[in-house]
Amino acid sequence: GENVEQHPSTLSVQEGDSAVIKCTYSDSASNYFPWYKQELGKRPQLIIDIRSNVGEKKDQRIAVTLNKTAKHFSLHITETQPEDSAVYFCVVAGSNYQLIWGAGTKLIIKP
Amino acid sequence: NAGVTQTPKFQVLKTGQSMTLQCAQDMNHNSMYWYRQDPGMGLRLIYYSASEGTTDKGEVPNGYNVSRLNKREFSLRLESAAPSQTSVYFCASSTGTVQETQYFGPGTRLLVL
């Protein structure tokens, strides 16, 4: 089955700097890659997603890139702010109804 | 419009006890899901219901049963709770397949002693 690896597990950046989180997956047939943000004690919320027919997608300070050949995708957050502190999960659609989640990256924004 | 709601928010069980976690959505979504989240891990799918009247196993179904009561409600039952089922349980829904945004409930924190 699908396997998703996410790095790093913890990322600490200075406020205003950029943050990059990387994920790899194993099933070349996967074609949908969402990213979820989970604040402490809260529910996960979708922040951005990308489909396999697109190499990059941006939404204000957030961007995701996808390399299908290498089977990896990344989340980029620019001009980080305190409210970006959270755990971020990369996710891969393993089938029509099953999402496979990475282990998460705890992003810490230092003032 | 409450979105996805779950009850209870927190529950303590003794080993061997049973309980049902309730989930309801008011977004007219076809698909509903139950996940568990253990510390330091991503969410793992327990069961899902692609549409009213259907349910299927996910990645970690052992020890659980589900019922899609109607289009709005999807319940998760633990017949004989075990300490390994201590976790946070999230219900989610989406319009159709997982290639649509999943909307999550607030979660149920379950402790099995």
Side-chain angles (χ1 to χ4, degrees):
Chain A
E2 178 68 89
N3 183 47
V4 179
E5 294 192 0
Q6 182 171 349
H7 301 280
S9 57
T10 304
L11 178 60
S12 183
V13 302
Q14 206 69 38
E15 182 178 348
D17 288 350
S18 296
V20 181
I21 302 169
K22 300 181 180 181
C23 287
T24 61
Y25 61 99
S26 59
D27 188 352
S28 56
S30 298
N31 60 5
Y32 177 63
F33 308 89
W35 285 86
Y36 281 80
K37 175 183 180 182
Q38 186 178 29
E39 297 177 358
L40 187 63
K42 301 287 184 65
R43 70 194 80 186
Q45 290 190 301
L46 179 74
I47 55 171
I48 195 167
D49 59 8
I50 191 168
R51 288 177 168 77
S52 60
N53 58 346
V54 176
E56 182 176 2
K57 183 177 179 180
K58 285 185 178 180
D59 184 3
Q60 299 182 333
R61 296 185 297 108
I62 295 173
V64 56
T65 59
L66 171 65
N67 184 326
K68 283 219 74 179
T69 303
K71 290 187 282 188
H72 67 70
F73 58 114
S74 301
L75 178 72
H76 305 251
I77 305 174
T78 58
E79 301 172 10
T80 53
Q81 300 171 3
E83 54 265 36
D84 295 329
S85 294
V87 178
Y88 291 81
F89 293 97
C90 63
V91 188
V92 177
S95 72
N96 277 342
Y97 293 99
Q98 298 205 32
L99 293 178
I100 308 300
W101 292 61
T105 295
K106 183 177 182 179
L107 178 60
I108 300 167
I109 308 299
K110 297 182 290 186
Chain B
N1 190 336
V4 181
T5 57
Q6 291 181 236
T7 56
K9 292 183 179 179
F10 180 70
Q11 184 73 45
V12 179
L13 292 178
K14 294 181 179 178
T15 297
Q17 287 186 318
S18 63
M19 79 162 295
T20 299
L21 282 65
Q22 307 286 354
C23 174
Q25 52 90 12
D26 61 2
M27 296 177 282
N28 200 36
H29 284 170
N30 291 313
S31 302
M32 297 185 73
Y33 312 81
W34 275 107
Y35 292 93
R36 62 177 287 173
Q37 184 176 31
D38 300 312
M41 298 180 66
L43 279 66
R44 291 184 292 169
L45 183 66
I46 304 171
Y47 270 92
Y48 66 94
S49 172
S51 60
E52 185 179 356
T54 69
T55 61
D56 282 288
K57 294 178 180 180
E59 185 182 354
V60 288
N62 291 344
Y64 305 95
N65 285 300
V66 291
S67 296
R68 184 74 182 265
L69 305 170
N70 47 56
K71 191 170 185 179
R72 290 186 63 250
E73 299 172 289
F74 189 38
S75 63
L76 178 72
R77 183 161 178 83
L78 286 70
E79 291 291 352
S80 179
S84 60
Q85 295 178 303
T86 293
S87 189
V88 179
Y89 291 85
F90 286 100
C91 176
S93 69
S94 65
T95 54
T97 71
V98 294
Q99 298 205 18
E100 309 288 339
T101 302
Q102 289 198 354
Y103 295 88
F104 286 83
T108 294
R109 190 172 296 273
L110 177 65
L111 175 61
V112 183
L113 301 175

